[in-house]
Amino acid sequence: MSEIDSVLKETRSFPPPAAFQARARLKSEAEYQALWRESIADPQGFWGRMAREIPWMQPFTQVLDWSNAPFARWFVGGRLNASAVCVDQHLARHGAKRAIVWEGEPGDTRTWTYAQLHAEVCRLANALKERGVKKGDRVAIYMPMVPELAAALLACARIGAAHSVVFGGFSAQSLKDRIEDGGCTAVITADGSWRRGKLLPLKSVVDEALASCKGVHTALVVKRAGCEVAWDARRDVWYHELVARQSATRAPEPMDSEDLLFLLYTSGSTGKPKGIMHTTGGYVLGAALSARYVFDLRDEDVYWCTADVGWVTGHSYVVYGPLANAATIVMYEGAPDAPHRGRFWELVQKHKVTILYTAPTAIRTFMRWGDEHVTKHDLSSLRLLGTVGEPINPAAWMWYRDTIGGGRCPIVDTWWQTETGSIAITPLPGVTATRPGSATRPFFGIDPVVLDKHGAEVPAGSGGLLALRKPWPSMLRGIWGDPERYRQTYWSKFPGYYFPGDGCRKDADGYYWIMGRVDDVIKVSGHRLATMEIESALVSHPDVAESAVVGRPDELSGEAVVAFVTLKPHAVTSDALKETLRAHVAKEIGSLARPAEVRWAAALPKTRSGKIMRRLLRDIAAGRETAQDTSTLEDFSVLATLRAAEDDE
Ligand code: WT7
């Protein structure tokens, strides 16, 4: 019996276009097979060789120490600096090459060459030092998509402080929780930013977050929007004042390969957000190598990953991966429909973008907006397209291929996670025959298997749980402050194997088809949200007694948040209260978590042991007949009542 029913049957196959393949870094199945097999059979030899391609300040003496599994140490004894890998190593050959091509939402543009990026990173590193930031400290970054954001990550890395980037859409409360959990002592932010012509007041969110955070001594503020801001002269300092007067040189700190490079918070099914830990050597190698092979980066490429640096995609494939390869990256501050729905395509044309990496939710939105916004722009510069963040439905894949890629660009559907650090299952564009909806096959060093819940491999074609059988260099090193939770969450389901929490099917040709999360985590517009955190936000409202949050399929966002809410006896149901609760969640967590729908529930369906029957709620939320066995349901009338409530609305 299969663990998960897989219903997608897709048989179309697209070999790499001949013109692409002829110039690709990897051109043949044999090359891929040889490298992948070596990476699995002899990881020490393979990774040792790959790692020697990045510049070390001191060579490593051992490739992998797995003796204390699941706590890995890669490139033991080696010293390097991530900012030197991304910037300094390119100065001699590429100092005058464009590193960052930036476009603000209002249409203002800036370009930094590698030499300019180097100077900015050094000045900012010196500025952080002047403010007392030390090696080993953590620095929170809460910024819009401006070039200084990339500089901020690299400047932290340069002095050996770990960064903890918090996406600019998170609320003051979420920012505060992350600052406190990580023990951050400084924050880098901006006065504000532009989104659909509206001002996002980032500094005031930081002020609110810091009002009750004791440990932060510095808030460094980039002037972006020119808006009014409150000022605490002991703590706040303008970026342009402090950074401008610093020296434009600073030697990079020689960091141990296993020194913390960054924390990035992500949602899990239980408890508070997890501070995922990534260290220096393995992470940088994973990001650099995957960017080079998956995006087939060449010197003349103009590469645009549309993700915000607040997510791991932005860390690995806006900043570290492409810059380690001396690529020219495009950064865009604003919304895809500002001031019009063709903005992305206008940018592709204007900057002659050759590689575009974006999310399925964005692709579905563009599809809905209509081809006319696309076709009036010249997209002939594009040669490769990528997607990430959630499964892509074949219809969206085909549209991406034909309408954006003109039928000539390979598509790389890349599966990975905050925890994997870099792309793990993916086509290689000059090698792999792609299939719409499949992330295809493992990248180097990744040894996937699909298991049933007892840990037995399921037969080809059946759904099951994805697991990875080997450690890989860019894997997470732990959860900040909670090693036990790390072991529990990722390594206890199938002892010895890493458990990503995704359902998957492997077909008879060895292609992997990711089927989405199997835990209580939903993906809204590609962003991972824990239902449990939204539930806690709801219960923090004085009128709410209990709530259960589930995802329902949504054509645009992939999944939408549906909240079933039981009110306290004094509270009265009303549409106004629904609105209040939706706004409450947005305030507590950020608008990305705002429920699409709030439903009243006199009681929630629970098993006799008191567990909320989420699958059943998912069926109700999606308007499906339930396939779930309800024999353990404590009070069967609850189900009937919930359905009746649905008919009333
Ligand atoms: C989860 C990780 C990886 C960077 C952005 C998201 C889902 C990601 C794919 C894909 C199907 C995908 C998985 C995964 N996911 N990429 N190509 N096909 N599903 O990072 O927030 O850590 O989320 O996103 O469910 O576990 P994240």
Side-chain angles (χ1 to χ4, degrees), residues 89 139 581:
Q89 71 156 322
V139 175
L581 294 179

Side-chain angles (χ1 to χ4, degrees), residues 294-295 357 386-390 412-416 423-427 439:
V294 176
F295 300 118
Y357 189 34
T387 77
V388 59
E390 52 180 321
V412 288
D413 171 355
T414 62
W415 175 87
W416 58 295
I423 292 169
I425 301 183
T426 180

Side-chain angles (χ1 to χ4, degrees), residues 266 311-313 387-392 413-419 425 439 500-502 514-517 523 526-528:
T266 193
W311 311 109
V312 74
T313 307
T387 77
V388 59
E390 52 180 321
I392 181 165
D413 171 355
T414 62
W415 175 87
W416 58 295
Q417 310 180 289
T418 305
E419 293 88 338
I425 301 183
D502 280 337
I514 308 293
M515 293 154 59
R517 307 287 309 169
K523 279 240 141 182
H527 301 146
R528 204 205 288 196

